[in-house]
Amino acid sequence: KELRAALARSGRTPAGLIAIEGEHLVTEAVRSHLRFASIFLREGYTPQLKVPGDAEHLLLPPDVFASAAGTEQPQGIAALVHPPVFSTDSLFRDVSLILVLAGLQDPGNVGTLLRSAEAFAATGAMLLPGTASPWNPKALRASAGSAFRTPAISAAEDEALTLLSKHHVLAIAAVSRGGTPVEEIGRAHV
């Protein structure tokens, strides 16, 4: 029941856990040194990875696993894990690039942007009000594990602007039309 509820919700469980599903995300959670609370395996499924031995292991009949899974073709492994805890200090240590997401409601887009932030060696992300949770199962799948490693903190607009200013981070907003090309902005501030 807890796995089903966690995969259906948009963030953490009441106990503060997040649900992950599929071999890739479980592998990325292991790689990111997350602490596992429970691992769920479908009967007949043999994982291709070494699952943490200190977590509770539950073997589920195929129909029960399928009813709990959040995807149409579940791979046979899911888990409840403790999410990483990121601080403002971790976000502003050696700043290279900080992604600020304002009111981005599609969890798939949030995950994709966190994956892109990691690929571009961003220091992290600030999530403003109205932005989907990076712990939403769709965001986690789209991030392909980057949400586990890319520091992301929630902040109000005024707090975000204060932090960016305090740490001398140039703020640039992306717009779909009528903006200044990024290469012109780069030349103006070099």
Side-chain angles (χ1 to χ4, degrees):
K1 287 180 182 180
E2 188 175 8
L3 176 65
R4 182 180 294 119
L7 287 169
R9 68 178 55 237
S10 63
R12 299 175 193 220
T13 68
L17 303 173
I18 57 173
I20 58 175
E21 180 189 346
E23 200 155 308
H24 178 75
L25 275 181
V26 172
T27 299
E28 289 299 313
V30 169
R31 180 177 153 224
S32 301
H33 308 289
L34 296 189
R35 211 166 33 100
F36 283 69
S38 303
I39 297 172
F40 302 85
L41 297 168
R42 181 187 68 222
E43 285 179 351
Y45 174 79
T46 305
Q48 302 300 310
L49 64 127
K50 184 174 174 18
V51 293
D54 58 345
E56 172 186 39
H57 287 70
L58 299 163
L59 192 60
L60 302 177
D63 59 330
V64 174
F65 188 89
S67 74
T71 57
E72 289 182 31
Q73 301 285 328
Q75 293 180 11
I77 188 168
L80 291 172
V81 299
H82 297 270
V85 177
F86 300 116
S87 68
T88 304
D89 291 340
S90 65
L91 190 63
F92 286 97
R93 185 178 308 124
D94 301 322
V95 175
S96 60
L97 170 68
I98 294 176
L99 180 65
V100 179
L101 304 178
L104 192 58
Q105 297 177 357
D106 184 317
N109 288 342
V110 170
T112 299
L113 287 168
L114 289 175
R115 189 175 74 235
S116 298
E118 182 179 38
F120 283 97
T123 308
M126 296 177 80
L127 310 175
L128 302 187
T131 299
S133 169
W135 309 130
N136 177 296
K138 290 179 184 176
L140 286 168
R141 281 194 302 277
S143 83
S146 292
F148 303 145
R149 295 178 296 275
T150 305
I153 62 167
S154 295
E157 290 94 345
D158 56 343
E159 178 187 13
L161 291 172
T162 299
L163 286 167
L164 293 170
S165 176
K166 175 182 170 186
H167 294 279
H168 310 288
V169 177
L170 173 65
I172 301 171
V175 294
S176 59
R177 289 182 204 85
T180 304
V182 71
E183 54 276 353
E184 288 180 29
I185 292 170
R187 277 188 241 123
H189 290 90
V190 174

